[in-house]
Amino acid sequence: MKVTIKATLLGVGVMVVTLGALAAVLVPTQNQGRRGAVSPPSPSYGHDLARRITDFTRGTVAHSDYQPPLRAQRRTVAEGVGLFLDGRRAEAGRRLAEVEFGIREFADTGTGRRYAEIADRAAEAGRGWGRVYVDLGAPIRWSVQVPHPVADTGSEQLGLGVLRARPGGVLVLAGAHRNAGKGDRADVAHRRDTVFDAVCDELVERRLPGLQVHGFADATEPDYDVIASTGKGDHGLAAARRTATALRREGFDVCRAWVRRCALEGRSNEQGRRAAADGVPFLHMEFSRSVRDDEGRMRRAVAAMAAVLPR
C-alpha cells in the first residue's frame, strides 16, 4: 500500500514538472512583449553581413513607412549606441529596450569578423528608424553613413563595402526611403529630428570622423564619376584630398569641391554641419549612377575610400 502511494505521488510530480516545462514554452513570461523589457541576448550565429543588409534594404527600407520619432525616443537610441561603444553592453541593451530596439552579435560569414547589429525589434517596417552596425574586432575609429539607401541605388553597398574593408568602423544606415512619410521627414541627411541624426551626433561627440555616401544621376555632373566635398566645414580637407587622389588613381574623374564649384557639395547636410561645428572631419561623397551600376568600379571606389580611413 505504501509502495502504491509513493508511486502515485511520483507520477503526479513528474506530471507537474512536465506541465510546467510545457507552460514555459507555450506561455510568455511577464517580461516578454512588455515595452522596456530586456530580451535575452540573441544567439551568436554566423550571418552573411552583405545578405543581412541587402535583405533589410530591399525587403524593408524600400517599402517602409516612416514614423517621426519623439525627441526622447531618438535620444534613447543614440544613448544606447553610445553605451555599447563604451563597452557597457548590458546597460546598452536595457536602454535600447526602452524603445524596443535590440542588439544582435554575429560572425560575418563573408569575412570571419564579428559585428553587432543594433536594430528595431518591434516595428522596423512601420517606424523606419534604421540600423547601426558596429565592428567588434577593433577599437572604433570612424563611421560610414548611408542616409539614402534604395533611393540612392547602391549607396548601401558602398557603405557595407567600406565597413568590411577596414576594421574599426560603425555603419549608420537609414531605415526608410527618403520619400517615405509626409514631406521630407524621412530625408535624414537634411533633418535634425531623426534617429539617424541623433546617432551621428553621438559619434561626433566621440570625435569619430564621418564618411557619408550618396549617389547622383549621370546627367547632374556628366564630366565626373565622383563629387568629393567636406560639407559645411573643412576639417576633413586633408582626408578629402587623399581620398580624391586615391580615387583618381583608380581611374575615376573626381569633382573636388574645394577646388571648383560642383553640384551636390553637401553644404546643407545636417550631419556635416554638426561635424563642422565640433571640428570633426567629415567627407560627403557622391557617386554617379554609372559607378554604382558597375560592380567592379564599386569595388575600386570602396578600396580607395577605405585606404584613407583611420587605422
Side-chain angles (χ1 to χ4, degrees):
M1 185 68 172
K2 291 181 179 179
V3 173
T4 303
I5 292 172
K6 286 182 179 179
T8 302
L9 291 174
L10 179 61
V12 171
V14 170
M15 182 179 295
V16 170
V17 171
T18 303
L19 290 174
L22 183 61
V25 174
L26 297 179
V27 181
T29 64
Q30 291 181 347
N31 285 336
Q32 289 176 327
R34 189 177 66 199
R35 183 178 295 274
V38 180
S39 301
S42 299
S44 183
Y45 300 125
H47 293 283
D48 183 349
L49 179 61
R51 172 56 59 187
R52 288 198 68 78
I53 289 176
T54 299
D55 288 349
F56 171 60
T57 54
R58 292 180 181 175
T60 301
V61 174
H63 311 288
S64 179
D65 290 329
Y66 184 71
Q67 176 184 319
L70 301 175
R71 183 179 185 279
Q73 292 172 321
R74 57 183 188 263
R75 285 308 312 155
T76 296
V77 177
E79 288 167 8
V81 171
L83 287 167
F84 188 86
L85 295 180
D86 291 341
R88 298 157 64 181
R89 297 186 180 181
E91 290 180 66
R94 289 192 291 271
R95 191 79 174 107
L96 290 163
E98 293 175 15
V99 288
E100 298 179 280
F101 266 58
I103 304 167
R104 175 183 284 112
E105 298 181 13
F106 62 92
D108 175 22
T109 57
T111 63
R113 301 219 308 272
R114 293 188 61 77
Y115 294 92
E117 176 189 86
I118 299 174
D120 195 329
R121 300 298 185 226
E124 192 166 58
R127 297 196 291 193
W129 292 353
R131 290 183 179 183
V132 179
Y133 288 89
V134 182
D135 181 4
L136 299 178
I140 299 302
R141 295 282 185 258
W142 49 269
S143 76
V144 58
Q145 306 160 11
V146 184
H148 300 143
V150 181
D152 289 356
T153 304
S155 59
E156 60 270 25
Q157 299 304 317
L158 287 167
L160 162 66
V162 171
L163 182 67
R164 272 180 157 178
R166 176 62 60 88
V170 177
L171 169 62
V172 188
L173 188 61
H177 191 286
R178 66 184 300 174
N179 295 329
K182 296 180 180 179
D184 66 347
R185 289 182 177 181
D187 185 359
V188 298
H190 299 102
R191 296 192 68 99
R192 296 285 294 159
D193 56 354
T194 67
V195 168
F196 181 95
D197 186 75
V199 171
C200 290
D201 275 1
E202 193 74 23
L203 302 180
V204 166
E205 289 179 9
R206 286 163 170 72
R207 314 294 300 174
L208 298 177
L211 167 65
Q212 192 169 114
V213 292
H214 295 258
F216 68 91
D218 290 357
T220 301
E221 280 283 15
D223 295 330
Y224 295 97
D225 303 307
V226 187
I227 302 169
S229 171
T230 58
K232 178 68 173 178
D234 60 3
H235 301 286
L237 185 56
R241 285 173 170 156
R242 292 196 301 272
T243 304
T245 298
L247 286 164
R248 291 166 76 182
R249 286 173 179 165
E250 292 289 347
F252 295 98
D253 292 316
V254 183
C255 186
R256 296 166 293 164
W258 57 92
V259 173
R260 67 177 298 275
R261 293 287 297 176
C262 307
L264 305 173
E265 294 179 350
R267 306 294 185 192
S268 62
N269 181 280
E270 291 293 351
Q271 293 75 52
R273 286 176 179 271
R274 173 60 195 274
D278 283 36
V280 174
F282 177 84
L283 300 187
H284 185 277
M285 304 295 298
E286 296 265 1
F287 292 86
S288 72
R289 183 62 183 264
S290 293
V291 171
R292 290 176 286 124
D293 282 347
D294 187 315
E295 187 175 333
R297 300 184 83 192
M298 288 267 278
R299 283 198 301 269
R300 297 203 305 276
V302 164
M305 289 189 290
V308 302
L309 289 170
R311 294 181 179 274

